């Protein structure tokens, strides 16, 4: 990876770049799509390489979406990676993607605050870097970064990730717990938990998969604390992936999809009520619209039926060595792994721009830019039923198209001038 450059020459006559914050799949896809349209994009990443969040995931993790429906624009995922791509192969693919598209990466630099560039009305010259503003460009943006850097960009794409800051509930008595308590973000493999009694908190995809990993990896006992019973779907049925169903139904009426989901569950997923995991009361798609993605079965059903993973009530509090559950019972696990989700962590970066909702999520997403912050774009902050990688790939093309038009860039002319190859980027999978 290229080293960290010096602060940009503010007197340069070259057009200011579009800055992309984050070198995960969303950021890399946008940068590649912009480059293909002749727009200079610089990816700024606080870690020392691409795909940092993927490198930190637990070893067992595979994409729950198929290889063919998870590729980013312009480069297929190698067939040798298999249908369900592993964590390590996702990282390899992202590294190859950045290399293949010759993306301009700046690593080891953290952007801490984004502000509008001053306009003439504010007492500035409205240009920001002495180079003037292109047609439709506006005053642009200033990015405050580590090392005292101030970067001037024509537009900014924020792609810092859906799972950014681990969220650990402030349970009563949490600090009194005498066992080992860790967020799922710190979990890598079951080896440290061999022979131990472990409670996993949270029955989403992460919690369910970690519970199975622990049970298969030698933990003496594994319990899964469930507050709201999840919808469980088969990752694939007769070769048909659940993702394709998600793509097909996402534009149908919610009530219809709820009914179809209930019917499918009765046929394909056994009733686990007797094991402490009842069928959900609310509909599958109703839950999706509220932000709860179904749990794809990668061993949970078999583990619950075999008794190697025991569903229990939600955690209410801690009391020394004990964990107090919502049904009033108390248990004494040796360790607790909290798969309790993440926050987007955008408040410090852009909270002052009034572009976040009450839950800290961007008010606009994809090709849409907030009315109060034109030129500021977001990708990768939704968790769609149709697959996050797929939607980021589609968003990348849409953002690049809008930005190229807004900045008045003629792709063919810019490619010729910059000697950039025509990478032929197209959406990998047309919208359903």
């Amino acid at each position: 990876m290229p080293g960290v450059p010096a602060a940009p020459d503010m007197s340069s006559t070259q057009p200011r770049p579009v800055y992309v914050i984050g070198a995960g799949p969303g950021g890399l896809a946008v940068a590649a799509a912009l480059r293909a349209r002749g727009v200079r994009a610089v990816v700024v990443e606080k870690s020392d390489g691409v795909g940092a969040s993927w490198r930190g995931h637990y070893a067992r993790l595979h994409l729950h979406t198929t290889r063919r429906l998870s590729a980013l624009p312009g480069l297929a995922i190698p067939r040798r990676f298999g249908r369900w791509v592993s964590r390590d192969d996702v990282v390899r693919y992202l590294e190859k993607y950045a290399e293949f598209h010759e993306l301009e990466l700046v690593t080891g630099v953290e952007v801490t605050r984004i502000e509008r560039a001053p306009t003439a009305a504010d007492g500035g010259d409205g240009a920001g870097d002495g180079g003037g503003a292109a047609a439709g460009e506006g005053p642009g943006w200033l990015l405050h970064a580590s090392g005292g850097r101030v970067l001037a960009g024509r537009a900014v794409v924020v792609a810092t990730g859906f799972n950014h800051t681990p969220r650990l509930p402030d349970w009563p008595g949490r600090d009194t717990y005498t066992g080992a308590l860790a967020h799922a973000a710190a979990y890598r493999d079951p080896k440290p938990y061999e022979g131990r009694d472990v409670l996993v908190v949270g029955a989403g995809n992460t919690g369910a998969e970690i519970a199975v990993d622990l049970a298969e990896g030698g933990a003496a006992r594994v319990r899964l604390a469930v507050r709201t019973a999840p919808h469980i779907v088969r990752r694939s049925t007769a070769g048909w992936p659940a993702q394709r169903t998600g793509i097909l139904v996402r534009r149908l009426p919610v009530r219809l999809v709820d009914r179809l989901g209930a019917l499918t569950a009765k046929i394909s997923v056994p009733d686990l009520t007797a094991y402490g995991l009842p069928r959900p009361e609310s509909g599958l798609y109703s839950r999706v619209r509220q932000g709860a993605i179904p749990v794809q079965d990668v061993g949970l059903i078999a583990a619950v039926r075999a008794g190697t993973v025991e569903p229990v009530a939600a955690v209410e509090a801690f009391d020394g060595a004990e964990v107090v559950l919502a049904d009033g019972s108390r248990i004494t696990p040796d360790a607790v792994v909290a798969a309790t989700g993440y926050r987007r962590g955008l408040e410090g970066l852009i909270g002052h721009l009034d572009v976040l909702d009450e839950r800290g999520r961007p008010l606009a997403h994809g090709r849409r830019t907030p009315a109060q912050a034109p030129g500021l774009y977001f990708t990768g902050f939704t968790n769609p039923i149709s697959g996050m990688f797929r939607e980021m790939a589609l968003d990348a093309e849409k953002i690049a198209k809008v930005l190229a038009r807004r900045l008045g860039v003629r792709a063919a002319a810019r490619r010729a001038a910059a000697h950039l190859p025509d990478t032929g980027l197209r959406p990998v999978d047309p919208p359903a």
Side-chain angles (χ1 to χ4, degrees):
M1 295 294 175
V4 176
D9 180 1
M10 302 298 281
S11 65
S12 170
T13 59
Q14 295 298 314
R16 291 170 291 172
V18 172
Y19 280 105
V20 180
I21 306 175
L28 297 179
V30 169
L34 286 168
R35 185 177 185 277
R37 286 174 169 80
V39 179
R40 183 188 174 205
V42 177
V43 181
V44 184
E45 167 58 45
K46 68 178 181 180
S47 71
D48 59 1
V50 305
S53 63
W54 274 91
R55 296 174 194 273
H57 286 317
Y58 49 95
R60 178 193 179 99
L61 181 63
H62 285 66
L63 283 177
H64 289 170
T65 54
T66 67
R67 171 181 56 81
R68 294 188 63 183
L69 294 176
S70 301
L72 303 179
L75 184 66
I77 299 177
R79 184 183 296 272
R80 68 178 182 277
F81 287 175
R83 193 181 198 195
W84 312 104
V85 184
S86 71
R87 177 200 68 174
D88 291 346
D89 283 337
V90 169
V91 173
R92 293 186 183 98
Y93 172 67
L94 295 179
E95 291 175 336
K96 181 63 178 178
Y97 191 85
E99 177 186 353
F100 178 80
H101 290 299
E102 300 177 355
L103 300 183
E104 193 171 348
L105 295 169
V106 178
T107 59
V109 172
E110 181 179 7
V111 177
T112 56
R113 186 177 174 88
I114 301 173
E115 295 179 341
R116 285 173 173 268
T119 64
D122 300 323
D125 62 7
D129 66 348
E137 179 182 339
W141 296 88
L142 296 179
L143 285 67
H144 297 266
S146 54
R149 298 170 175 84
V150 179
L151 312 175
R154 293 188 285 174
V156 178
V157 182
V158 180
T160 50
F162 187 82
N163 296 334
H164 186 273
T165 304
R167 185 182 69 85
L168 189 64
D170 188 19
W171 288 296
R174 190 184 74 184
D175 293 340
T176 71
Y177 181 54
T178 57
L181 172 62
H183 191 274
Y187 179 86
R188 295 294 176 268
D189 59 62
K191 188 171 181 58
Y193 299 93
E194 289 180 0
R196 305 177 74 185
D197 183 333
V198 187
L199 173 67
V200 179
V201 184
N205 276 291
T206 297
E209 190 158 4
I210 287 177
V212 173
D213 198 33
L214 287 165
E216 294 177 353
R221 185 176 188 180
V222 180
R223 283 173 282 203
L224 179 63
V226 182
R227 183 169 298 278
T228 304
H231 285 275
I232 303 175
V233 299
R234 300 289 187 181
R235 186 168 63 173
S236 179
T237 303
W240 178 266
Q243 181 189 7
R244 284 201 177 274
T245 301
I247 294 170
L248 292 174
V249 305
R250 68 191 184 107
R251 299 189 188 281
L252 295 178
V254 173
R255 289 184 180 180
L256 175 59
V257 180
D258 282 348
R259 289 197 294 268
L260 292 173
L263 178 61
T264 302
K266 287 183 179 180
I267 296 172
S268 62
V269 178
D271 187 356
L272 301 175
T273 301
Y275 301 92
L277 198 60
R279 293 191 188 277
E281 296 180 1
S282 57
L284 184 151
Y285 204 33
S286 293
R287 293 283 302 281
V288 168
R289 296 293 290 271
Q290 296 168 3
I293 297 299
V295 170
Q296 293 205 15
D297 179 42
V298 290
L300 179 65
I301 293 174
V304 169
R305 296 178 80 178
T308 56
V309 171
E310 308 168 48
V312 296
V315 171
E316 288 294 310
F318 288 80
D319 184 8
E322 296 183 321
V323 179
V324 183
L325 304 181
D327 60 3
S329 62
R330 291 170 174 256
I331 59 176
T332 55
D334 300 317
V336 175
V337 178
T340 47
Y342 296 79
R343 294 185 293 106
R344 310 295 84 81
L346 294 170
E347 289 79 5
L349 186 68
I350 54 173
H352 56 286
L353 297 175
D354 195 28
V355 296
L356 302 176
D357 66 14
E358 67 281 358
R359 296 172 61 183
R361 301 172 303 182
L363 292 171
H365 197 268
R367 64 184 172 191
R368 297 180 179 85
T369 185
Q372 64 273 39
L376 183 64
Y377 297 83
F378 299 88
T379 185
F381 292 97
T382 61
N383 193 12
I385 194 172
S386 51
M388 186 178 288
F389 270 55
R390 176 183 183 272
E391 294 304 318
M392 286 190 292
L394 296 173
D395 276 349
E397 284 290 337
K398 295 172 184 176
I399 292 171
K401 183 178 180 179
V402 168
L403 261 176
R405 182 171 65 245
R406 172 177 169 266
L407 299 176
V409 175
R410 295 182 178 180
R414 286 293 302 274
R415 280 197 297 269
H419 305 291
L420 297 177
D422 184 352
T423 58
L425 290 178
R426 299 293 184 272
V428 172
D429 185 57

